[in-house]
Amino acid sequence: MSRKIIVIMGVSGSGKSTVGNLLSEKIKVPFVDADDFHPKANIEKMSKGVPLDDEDRKPWLEALNKKMNEAQDENGIILACSALKESYREILSKRITWIEWVYLEGSFELIKSRMEKRKHFMKADLLQSQFDCLEVPNHETTIAIEEEPEVLVNTIINKMKTSSFGILGLGVMGKSLATNMLNKGFSISVYNRETPEEKGIVDAFIDENFGRRVLGFTELKEFIDSIQKPRKILMMVKAGKVTDTIIESMVPFLEEGDVLIDGGNSHYLDTKRRSDYLEDNGIEFVGLGVSGGEEGALKGPSLMPGGKKESYTKVAKYLEAISAKDEDNNPCCSYIGPDGAGHFVKMVHNGIEYGDMQLLAEVYAILSETMNNEEIATLLSEWNTRKHGSYLLEITSKITKEKEGDTYMLDIILDKAGNKGTGSWSSIAALEMGVPTTVKNAAVHARYTSSFKDERVRLSKYKNQAEHKEVVNVEVLEQAYDFARTVNLHQGFQLLKAASDEFNWNLNLAEICRVWSNGCIIKSKKIKEYSHLLKEVASLFDDEGVILNLYSQEAAARELITYTLQHRIHIPCFYEAYNYWVAMTTARSSANVIQAQRDFFGAHRFQKVGDKEEKTFHYNWS
Ligand code: NDP
């Protein structure tokens, strides 16, 4: 059974031993002073005024960790230890289920004056070196040391009864995010409702995390009261009415300055409405886009927070700690913009995801005409390792060869695609803002069309089966796939740009791409590349390299479409990518005909070729 492991940390002279001893008396957990575990060589060095280096500290920290591991199985321990650096704390934490870090915080001047008053083998002038290497831990209980020890100890005891962060909703995502938070060393409170049909969700989570610093509740008020103020609470519940109902029932228990985070897939306009409503009640609101599914939530999701910058700042350390990390180890979590900007960006992410998923479904449809599942899986895996580094391509390769018994899973699964609405929201927003996002729109329609299964089966019976099937050129297919992905991403970025202009969000596309470079469903090498490129150009179509590449791949897209026309394969996303590209690279379009028609029947007027003043004209057509 795990016992309390408390480390009172801070620079020398901050009062660790005094506070640790007093705390030990009050909560009856044995006290140990880390200084007593220094090897002789270290003590001699320190008494000569020579600062210890990391090598000197290693055996000392390892001895302390051994002691803590023993105490974990016995009566627990309160350890007074400077533990100034994250790397020291890592050694101390090895194999310990839960440590309560208590950081005693005081200014250099205050601690120096205290040290000068007492005898200590650490000289006061070594204090500066301690401050220099201090890395303040981000999941500590911080206690300002100005007060008397008695007061400090009571504050520590009260803080240990509460949590620094709350998670509401222990569904698929909430549970994984809560575990992720515990893994990062935060103390959390969790809440889930109890219904007659579903009981014991909170108890099960607490059991699974026995010995860790988690408090569980099924009563909303108790849950909220258990969180340190200003409270930070992440809601991971069903989007829509449920979110409103839960917010409504929380408001009476929340206080000014508390921050509520909605991590569900909420519509960005709902987020703006909720933010205004909560602001009227003095409560701050962060609309958080979360991507990565269950595994991402557990190991590191991509996070897109929106709302007031000050509100984000209050919760940044928690969100950044649990998020995925990019290639330079920076968090894939970055302030996106005000209002519903975070949820808007998540919605566009999902739209791009729809396009990317449908393109892969189309690739499978083409390949499965002439290849078996094992061959397809091998080919997709080879593409991915050699070039694309895409999560969706990786899982599609795995899915293709997965079997239940002797049957491929893809042969078992009914061909009717579900959706939860974010794809269509993204298309609706694009239509409203006048941005052509044809690839993802086609993907939404493909899902809708798939749902007419019975009708498809009935109509297919009239069809003559193609007799001869040619093998597709896989190099052509791969080039066309790459081409269509670029177009899909470009269209998504254009939608973000339009929203940024319309709502004055000042979105940073390069940064959004960086946030998408790991932890999320659309992560891939291309996204990483664009996170760099979009620092240089405002749009992918402003980059000559991208333009020339698309021109060089255009023939492959055309050849693929010709092949699928002959073989009667439904590939709407490839078509739309190709047609969009052709339209965007056609200097004189057929829209003159549209303008003439509009003017003919409705006197809608038109502009003339070459008229710099952009005047409008009506022509008497009859
Ligand atoms: P789940 O269905 O697994 O969990 C939903 C949670 O909402 C449960 O805790 C559920 O409680 C709670 N809930 C539902 N109805 C009510 C209600 N009327 N009152 C109180 N609580 C309620 O969903 P997920 O965890 O998958 O998703 C949570 C949110 O995260 C959703 O908005 C989703 O769109 C979003 N999301 C999901 C992703 C995914 O990959 N799954 C990815 C990114 C975001 P109970 O258990 O009692 O029903």
Side-chain angles (χ1 to χ4, degrees):
M1 166 163 161
S2 297
R3 301 284 181 186
K4 271 201 166 56
I5 306 288
I6 303 168
V7 179
I8 315 279
M9 54 155 296
V11 297
S12 270
S14 55
K16 299 186 291 288
S17 303
T18 315
V19 169
N21 270 309
L22 201 53
L23 183 63
S24 166
E25 268 173 40
K26 292 223 175 192
I27 65 170
K28 311 284 178 244
V29 173
F31 173 78
V32 167
D33 192 331
D35 284 347
D36 297 342
F37 284 70
H38 268 297
K40 225 171 125 206
N42 285 2
I43 298 178
E44 279 168 12
K45 226 174 161 181
M46 286 189 284
S47 54
K48 284 186 204 146
V50 183
L52 299 181
D53 61 24
D54 287 357
E55 271 312 297
D56 298 326
R57 286 193 176 94
K58 207 165 168 235
W60 170 60
L61 292 165
E62 282 168 351
L64 289 170
N65 173 256
K66 185 164 176 275
K67 178 80 189 159
M68 288 159 80
N69 269 289
E70 286 161 11
Q72 181 169 241
D73 299 324
E74 293 164 5
N75 297 324
I77 191 172
I78 297 172
L79 177 72
C81 177
S82 49
L84 297 181
K85 289 190 187 175
E86 195 54 39
S87 56
Y88 304 167
R89 296 189 286 267
E90 264 166 33
I91 300 177
L92 290 174
S93 311
K94 273 185 193 155
R95 297 179 303 282
I96 308 284
T97 322
W98 169 256
I99 300 181
E100 181 81 45
W101 298 96
V102 177
Y103 168 50
L104 299 185
E105 184 188 53
S107 69
F108 177 82
E109 288 70 27
L110 175 68
I111 296 176
K112 185 165 178 273
S113 71
R114 283 188 184 178
M115 285 188 80
E116 282 166 353
K117 282 189 203 136
R118 68 193 175 101
K119 262 193 174 165
H120 192 276
F121 59 75
M122 161 76 77
K123 297 275 186 298
D125 54 0
L126 280 184
L127 185 60
Q128 187 57 50
S129 75
Q130 295 224 334
F131 268 94
D132 289 346
C133 73
L134 172 68
E135 293 164 11
V136 175
N138 71 1
H139 47 74
E140 84 293 5
T141 296
T142 299
I143 305 288
I145 59 168
E146 283 82 6
E147 304 277 7
E148 289 302 307
E150 185 77 27
V151 179
L152 300 186
V153 166
N154 286 338
T155 312
I156 293 169
I157 292 172
N158 283 334
K159 283 217 174 185
M160 285 191 328
K161 284 188 203 148
T162 56
S163 309
S164 56
F165 199 93
I167 295 188
L168 189 153
L170 288 178
V172 173
M173 294 297 282
K175 197 175 152 188
S176 296
L177 288 167
T179 311
N180 185 345
M181 284 237 155
L182 286 173
N183 292 345
K184 292 290 173 311
F186 295 113
S187 57
I188 59 167
S189 289
V190 294
Y191 166 92
N192 204 88
R193 65 173 178 172
E194 291 256 270
T195 61
E197 303 79 46
E198 214 170 29
K199 285 189 191 306
I201 290 180
V202 172
D203 287 345
F205 186 79
I206 299 292
D207 285 349
E208 278 165 35
N209 290 284
F210 182 74
R212 310 181 90 187
R213 185 69 165 74
V214 52
L215 307 170
F217 301 90
T218 53
E219 291 296 327
L220 214 44
K221 183 177 183 321
E222 286 174 17
F223 163 69
I224 293 171
D225 284 347
S226 75
I227 303 163
Q228 289 154 25
K229 297 177 196 171
R231 302 179 182 95
K232 293 124 196 137
I233 301 173
L234 171 64
M235 291 188 295
M236 285 312 293
V237 296
K238 212 170 152 193
K241 187 99 199 71
V242 170
T243 305
D244 282 317
T245 312
I246 294 175
I247 290 177
E248 197 65 45
S249 41
M250 288 173 91
V251 164
F253 310 125
L254 294 170
E255 288 171 40
E256 199 165 330
D258 289 349
V259 187
L260 201 53
I261 310 165
D262 173 17
N265 274 331
S266 294
H267 192 277
Y268 70 102
L269 293 177
D270 285 339
T271 302
K272 166 84 179 120
R273 174 177 55 76
R274 287 170 188 145
S275 175
D276 292 345
Y277 166 72
L278 286 165
E279 195 174 340
D280 291 344
N281 288 276
I283 297 151
E284 300 176 36
F285 192 55
V286 170
L288 177 71
V290 179
S291 175
E294 185 177 13
E295 193 184 339
L298 180 66
K299 295 183 181 162
S302 169
L303 298 176
M304 295 146 258
K308 289 216 165 88
K309 185 79 190 272
E310 311 84 82
S311 309
Y312 172 65
T313 308
K314 286 189 185 174
V315 297
K317 81 170 179 186
Y318 302 93
L319 301 184
E320 290 176 10
I322 61 164
S323 73
K325 303 296 174 285
D326 71 7
E327 57 194 348
D328 297 321
N329 208 28
N330 293 313
C332 289
C333 170
S334 183
Y335 175 68
I336 299 289
D339 303 330
H343 276 138
F344 189 94
V345 169
K346 170 68 200 306
M347 178 185 80
V348 175
H349 164 285
N350 283 20
I352 293 170
E353 179 184 301
Y354 267 56
D356 236 356
M357 288 168 72
Q358 177 63 25
L359 280 170
L360 284 165
E362 294 173 14
V363 166
Y364 176 79
I366 295 163
L367 291 173
S368 61
E369 288 280 308
T370 54
M371 285 165 86
N372 67 35
N373 284 30
E374 297 296 332
E375 288 166 340
I376 297 172
T378 308
L379 179 71
L380 299 190
S381 168
E382 187 274 316
W383 284 6
N384 208 32
T385 327
R386 177 175 40 75
K387 180 173 164 95
H388 304 276
S390 146
Y391 171 75
L392 279 170
L393 183 53
E394 179 192 327
I395 64 162
T396 308
S397 161
K398 287 181 180 160
I399 287 166
T400 305
K401 63 179 176 199
E402 188 72 23
K403 280 181 173 174
E404 190 178 67
D406 290 336
T407 317
Y408 286 108
M409 283 307 297
L410 284 180
D411 294 336
I412 293 171
I413 297 172
L414 184 67
D415 53 335
K416 276 167 88 168
N419 77 89
K420 284 193 173 165
T422 45
S424 60
W425 289 351
S426 176
S427 293
I428 291 166
L431 286 169
E432 282 173 351
M433 286 180 204
V435 182
T437 56
T438 53
V439 178
K440 67 182 160 72
N441 299 0
V444 173
H445 284 134
R447 290 200 193 186
Y448 293 168
T449 313
S450 78
S451 68
F452 296 96
K453 174 73 179 175
D454 293 344
E455 201 168 356
R456 288 192 288 114
V457 170
R458 183 174 63 77
L459 293 172
S460 72
K461 291 188 177 139
Y462 295 88
K463 186 177 67 180
N464 289 329
Q465 295 302 322
E467 281 177 7
H468 174 66
K469 286 179 182 169
E470 275 170 64
V471 177
V472 72
N473 179 334
V474 290
E475 277 105 45
V476 163
L477 177 61
E478 190 193 356
Q479 273 196 44
Y481 166 66
D482 194 60
F483 167 91
R485 284 192 66 220
T486 307
V487 172
N488 182 33
L489 280 167
H490 169 69
Q491 292 183 340
F493 298 146
Q494 292 301 98
L495 177 54
L496 291 179
K497 265 170 63 130
S500 184
D501 293 344
E502 180 156 336
F503 301 117
N504 275 324
W505 280 343
N506 200 17
L507 296 182
N508 180 338
L509 294 193
E511 183 63 1
I512 289 169
C513 238
R514 190 194 65 72
V515 166
W516 290 347
S517 69
N518 200 8
C520 72
I521 304 296
I522 62 170
K523 69 180 178 184
S524 68
K525 274 196 193 150
K526 208 182 258 303
I527 293 269
K528 271 189 205 160
E529 262 169 54
Y530 293 162
S531 71
H532 299 295
L533 182 61
L534 286 166
K535 286 184 196 157
E536 314 295 329
V537 291
S539 151
L540 293 186
F541 283 9
D542 289 344
D543 182 72
E544 206 173 48
V546 171
I547 297 167
L548 293 178
N549 196 38
L550 286 171
Y551 267 120
S552 77
Q553 294 173 326
E554 178 188 317
R558 194 165 38 244
E559 191 180 326
L560 181 77
I561 289 170
T562 310
Y563 171 89
T564 58
L565 283 170
Q566 282 160 355
H567 289 78
R568 217 176 173 282
I569 307 169
H570 178 231
I571 57 158
C573 284
F574 277 107
Y575 277 35
E576 290 302 338
Y578 178 74
N579 270 315
Y580 174 81
W581 171 247
V582 170
M584 287 301 291
T585 51
T586 299
R588 177 115 174 107
S589 76
S590 57
N592 49 350
V593 180
I594 305 293
Q595 285 301 78
Q597 291 164 335
R598 294 177 70 238
D599 192 58
F600 191 107
F601 64 70
H604 290 303
R605 305 178 76 83
F606 53 86
Q607 291 176 2
K608 287 188 179 170
V609 175
D611 177 16
K612 293 209 167 76
E613 291 178 35
E614 300 183 356
K615 283 193 205 138
T616 60
F617 298 88
H618 169 59
Y619 180 76
N620 189 359
W621 294 96
S622 58

